Amino acid sequence: LKHRSRTATAAPSRRPGKPQAMEEAADERFDGLLLNVAGQAGSIDTILDIFFGFLQRKTDFFTGGQDDKAAQDLVLKYYEKHRKIGQKRKQEQAEKNRIADEERKQKAEEKKRRDEEEYQQRQAELAKKSKIEEVTDEEAAKIKADKEKKVAEKDEAKAEGAETKEEEEDNKEPPPLGNGGSTDKYTWTQTLTALEVYVPVRPGMKAKQIVCDIGVDTLKCGIKGEPLILQGKMHAKVKPDDCMWTLLDSKTVQITLEKFDGMKWWTCVMQGDPEIDTKKIVPENSKLSDLDGETRMTVEKMMYDQRQKALGKPTSEEEKQHDLLEKFKAAHPEMDFSKAKVNYGGGGAGNFNSVEPSSRMARSASRSRSEGFGASAEHGSGR
């Protein structure tokens, strides 16, 4: 269409009492159309060029006014209006970000303070346990006598069979958590092939401040410039190239150790540390998805048969034999199986007790035996 519309040069006045939110909602009517234009234009420069080109070609925006500066003043008027709105929104967002940053900073400081208190408390407990107290000769003699008395009582209890009771009590204890244990310096878990060791360090540490050296059968871990937390020989060998460590939350060193012998449980991580009873370890169940196709089918069949037996239902092999028998019965409708007793045990054949068969039925039964259905028909009186 060659029709040219005329635009009003006067700015539309805001209705008294009309909320700004309602005006913004009215302006959003064209967002879909304008977003489509913006998507095709690709840049702000192109969008503005297209819009003013439209005004120049299809309206008298640039030619209708008596004053050449009227169009420019109109553009600047609405530019200034929306610039102020944009600046206000920018300031509000900056204030929200500032408040959020302060809250995060306070939470981080509070967490750091709690971690520091926990660390200091743990260090105090370690120092209290490792504190050496001086005793007099009399006290030393008393301590020695008490130890000898306890040994004698233990030997006497052992002779009376008390050891068996202790073993029974030990057997009642739950398996170690995570198949591992804990010491004053670290906690650890394990699978049959790997270990996870967690060593607490002073809060606020960085990875470059940590020393962690993993050898074939040795382990060193601690903070640079301070006495090592772990140092010595491990329970068994590992694969150093497959081992790694990382710093968690700037307060815990996590060490992943790949066992050299992936078929043995470890009783401890470092030699000389408290040991766990590996007999109480409960291995994790293997996943069917980890098995190859043939093994998986065999295991699934065994599990299915086990469930069927528990429910008093036929196994997969018995169901297979039953299906074969049903096919045979469908192929020989002249035979009467109403009084038949079938044994699917695999060793013995089923007994079919029925009326005196005809020669044709006997021949069919003979054929069934030769076809390997695992059931025979026995006929005659007295059976």
Side-chain angles (χ1 to χ4, degrees), residues 167-174 280:
E167 291 179 356
E168 291 178 354
E169 291 178 357
D170 291 339
N171 291 333
K172 295 179 182 179
E173 294 181 2
K280 296 179 181 178

Side-chain angles (χ1 to χ4, degrees), residues 196-349:
E196 297 287 345
V197 184
Y198 301 91
V199 185
V201 295
R202 188 168 61 252
M205 290 292 101
K206 297 181 179 180
K208 63 182 181 181
Q209 298 175 283
I210 301 298
V211 177
C212 190
D213 184 13
I214 305 172
V216 176
D217 59 353
T218 59
L219 177 61
K220 295 179 182 179
C221 181
I223 301 174
K224 288 182 180 179
E226 299 182 10
L228 293 173
I229 301 173
L230 298 181
Q231 184 178 18
K233 297 197 70 174
M234 292 185 285
H235 173 76
K237 294 182 179 180
V238 298
K239 302 175 184 177
D241 293 339
D242 296 332
C243 299
M244 60 175 291
W245 67 273
T246 184
L247 184 62
L248 303 177
D249 297 332
S250 300
K251 63 176 183 177
T252 304
V253 179
Q254 178 184 0
I255 307 173
T256 303
L257 302 173
E258 193 73 20
K259 296 180 182 178
F260 184 81
D261 185 353
M263 297 302 294
K264 290 185 179 179
W265 297 104
W266 285 24
T267 58
C268 60
V269 178
M270 308 297 292
Q271 293 184 8
D273 285 346
E275 299 183 353
I276 64 170
D277 186 358
T278 56
K279 295 179 181 179
K280 296 179 181 178
I281 288 179
V282 180
E284 60 183 6
N285 296 327
S286 299
K287 298 180 181 178
L288 288 175
S289 57
D290 296 336
L291 305 175
D292 59 86
E294 185 177 354
T295 306
R296 179 175 177 177
M297 289 178 62
T298 303
V299 172
E300 287 178 343
K301 180 177 179 296
M302 293 172 61
M303 293 171 64
Y304 175 78
D305 290 344
Q306 191 175 12
R307 287 195 301 268
Q308 291 294 94
K309 286 182 179 180
L311 297 173
K313 297 181 178 180
T315 62
S316 57
E317 189 65 30
E318 292 172 349
E319 288 178 343
K320 183 178 178 181
Q321 293 179 9
H322 178 268
D323 292 341
L324 290 173
L325 179 59
E326 290 299 318
K327 290 180 181 179
F328 174 76
K329 289 165 64 176
H332 300 282
E334 72 277 5
M335 297 185 67
D336 182 14
F337 290 88
S338 60
K339 298 181 180 179
K341 294 181 180 179
V342 184
N343 177 20
Y344 294 112

